[in-house]
Amino acid sequence: MMIYQASNQKQRVMTDFDQALVWSTLLLLSIGLVMIYSASIAIAEAQFGADRANYYLLRHGAYLAVGLILGLIAFQIPMRLWQKYVSYLFMASTLLLILVLVPGIGHEVNGSQRWIPLYVVNLQPSEFMKFVMVLYAADYVNRKAADLDYLLKGFLPITIVMAIVGFLLLVEPDFGAFFVVTTLAMSILFLGGVSLKIFVGLISILAAGLYGLILSSPYRLDRVVAFMDPWADPYGKGYQLSHALIAFGRGEWLGVGLGGSVEKLFYLPEAHTDFLLSVLAEELGFVGVTAVIILFIWLIMRAFVIGRLAAKLESPFSALVAQGIGIWIGVQALINMGVNMGVLPTKGLTLPLLSFGGSSITASCIALAVLLRIDWENRQRLRGLPT
């Protein structure tokens, strides 16, 4: 009898969570941990000596542990509390974006001032702003549902907010984060039922603005030109992309084997961060890349399924947050993959759940924990239980 009760309890716990979401997330995190170790061994040996070849593995493992712990804490917070305090989270995130630009506080790397040193780690506020923007935009749409057809009442306030955040991100500069945050806000507004006429108008203005930003910055223009023909200057502007493409070419169908990448041996810059997928393609081939893409698609699909169910259960805030998280993961993964495969200009965006980066992995773990919380609350409502 006791064995039956224990088995029944275990089955109940398992059905309280979306298993597809949990396993796709764990598999992506595991693949990322393995590939970061493989991609960073040579770099770590050169920087810290042969006895510390596992430096980036241990550091990423620590980031991952912190992310999972914070995710566990985030899961305990009901969605009504996230909605109640989202304004404070947004103000805190905006303050961090301001602080990162203050001389003496912000830390500059490769010409970009995106980090705040915290002794043992560097905090990147833009990564957390992506998550907070999902919450803020979802709450805004929920509060302003009756005014979304009006330009001044419904659309202008969120446009001003996006302009302030966008300006702070561009000053760093972090064009990749600017694009992701803007896309998130616009997508949630669209899902929330904003007037199509106003939406199309703003999209046109944003497109013209992005075009102007590219033309006004020789640095961004060089990246676009290099992306269009990396072989025109393979040792200069097209260096990163040309070596990423070489890595994909060497991988063929099944790859050269785990640990066998040549491009990670100081040929491919940022091999364990922005260009981790290229190393994966070289070592695991087309099959490995396809497996990663399928896992991302599955995760994103589950996010939209969870969001749709929340909407049916009359939880519009949770519905928009779930779908916003799916869009965030999907857009950033698509951009990173596009950059690695040479179909998009080079951007400083990591591959979610896989690439090395403390702030990125932590923010992703918290966001997915919130997504899991929404799924759990959906299941509780279906059973008629309190959330």
Side-chain angles (χ1 to χ4, degrees):
M1 183 67 177
M2 291 180 64
I3 294 174
Y4 173 77
Q5 288 177 341
S7 176
N8 193 41
Q9 180 68 19
K10 182 179 179 181
Q11 186 177 7
R12 170 71 182 276
V13 171
M14 295 297 283
T15 56
D16 278 344
F17 301 98
D18 189 312
Q19 296 299 303
L21 174 63
V22 171
W23 283 108
S24 58
T25 300
L26 290 177
L27 284 170
L28 285 169
L29 290 172
S30 300
I31 292 170
L33 198 61
V34 172
M35 291 311 306
I36 284 169
Y37 183 43
S38 176
S40 66
I41 292 176
I43 301 170
E45 284 185 351
Q47 291 179 337
F48 309 108
D51 58 331
R52 298 185 67 186
N54 59 354
Y55 173 83
Y56 288 104
L57 171 67
L58 295 177
R59 200 165 179 85
H60 187 75
Y63 292 148
L64 187 54
V66 171
L68 291 174
I69 291 170
L70 291 177
L72 183 61
I73 295 170
F75 177 80
Q76 307 302 319
I77 302 173
M79 292 308 298
R80 65 179 181 275
L81 292 183
W82 284 109
Q83 185 173 11
K84 182 178 180 180
Y85 295 107
V86 66
S87 297
Y88 299 103
L89 286 173
F90 181 80
M91 286 188 287
S93 299
T94 305
L95 179 61
L96 288 174
L97 287 180
I98 295 171
L99 287 177
V100 81
L101 299 172
V102 177
I105 296 179
H107 177 58
E108 185 176 326
V109 177
N110 295 330
S112 296
Q113 195 161 320
R114 305 176 185 174
W115 297 267
I116 297 176
L118 300 177
Y119 297 103
V120 293
V121 296
N122 289 326
L123 177 70
Q124 189 172 357
S126 60
E127 292 295 334
F128 295 97
M129 177 53 82
K130 296 171 188 175
F131 170 60
V132 173
M133 181 56 78
V134 170
L135 296 175
Y136 183 84
D139 175 60
Y140 182 87
V141 168
N142 194 50
R143 287 187 291 107
K144 295 277 190 176
D147 298 324
L148 290 179
D149 287 336
Y150 302 98
L151 180 62
L152 294 180
K153 285 185 180 180
F155 219 70
L156 188 60
I158 190 69
T159 305
I160 294 172
V161 168
M162 288 166 55
I164 293 170
V165 173
F167 172 77
L168 293 172
L169 290 171
L170 288 173
V171 172
E172 291 184 5
D174 194 345
F175 190 74
F178 166 77
F179 181 81
V180 171
V181 167
T182 303
T183 301
L184 285 174
M186 294 300 298
S187 299
I188 292 173
L189 285 170
F190 179 75
L191 291 171
V194 72
S195 167
L196 186 61
K197 186 184 298 184
I198 296 175
F199 183 80
V200 171
L202 187 59
I203 286 290
S204 302
I205 294 171
L206 285 173
L210 289 174
Y211 183 71
L213 285 171
I214 292 171
L215 291 181
S216 65
S217 171
Y219 169 73
R220 296 190 189 104
L221 188 58
D222 285 346
R223 284 196 166 190
V224 172
V225 172
F227 138 75
M228 294 175 68
D229 186 9
W231 306 109
D233 188 12
Y235 298 105
K237 299 171 185 176
Y239 182 81
Q240 285 180 310
L241 181 52
S242 61
H243 280 279
L245 294 175
I246 290 170
F248 269 86
R250 290 193 75 246
E252 298 185 352
W253 286 100
L254 298 176
V256 298
L258 188 62
S261 169
V262 172
E263 287 300 318
K264 70 183 181 184
L265 304 177
F266 311 108
Y267 293 104
L268 185 62
E270 312 296 339
H272 59 302
T273 55
D274 298 356
F275 286 90
L276 184 71
L277 187 69
S278 296
V279 177
L280 187 148
E282 187 178 2
E283 295 188 349
L284 303 182
F286 176 81
V287 172
V289 174
T290 301
V292 168
I293 292 173
I294 290 172
L295 286 172
F296 272 113
I297 291 173
W298 192 245
L299 189 155
I300 295 161
M301 286 175 59
R302 296 315 304 166
F304 273 86
V305 168
I306 291 168
R308 239 182 356 254
L309 180 56
K312 289 180 181 178
L313 294 172
E314 298 183 352
S315 300
F317 173 73
S318 296
L320 289 172
V321 170
Q323 292 171 343
I325 292 171
I327 293 169
W328 168 20
I329 299 295
V331 167
Q332 187 157 327
L334 183 65
I335 293 173
N336 181 276
M337 291 176 183
V339 167
N340 276 258
M341 296 178 188
V343 296
L344 289 174
T346 305
K347 285 275 134 247
L349 287 173
T350 57
L351 186 59
L353 304 176
L354 274 81
S355 295
F356 178 82
S359 297
S360 175
I361 202 73
T362 302
S364 297
C365 285
I366 293 172
L368 289 171
V370 170
L371 178 59
L372 202 59
R373 173 74 194 196
I374 296 170
D375 173 64
W376 182 83
E377 289 190 2
N378 286 347
R379 293 166 191 257
Q380 293 296 98
R381 288 192 182 94
L382 288 172
R383 294 192 184 109
L385 299 173
T387 58

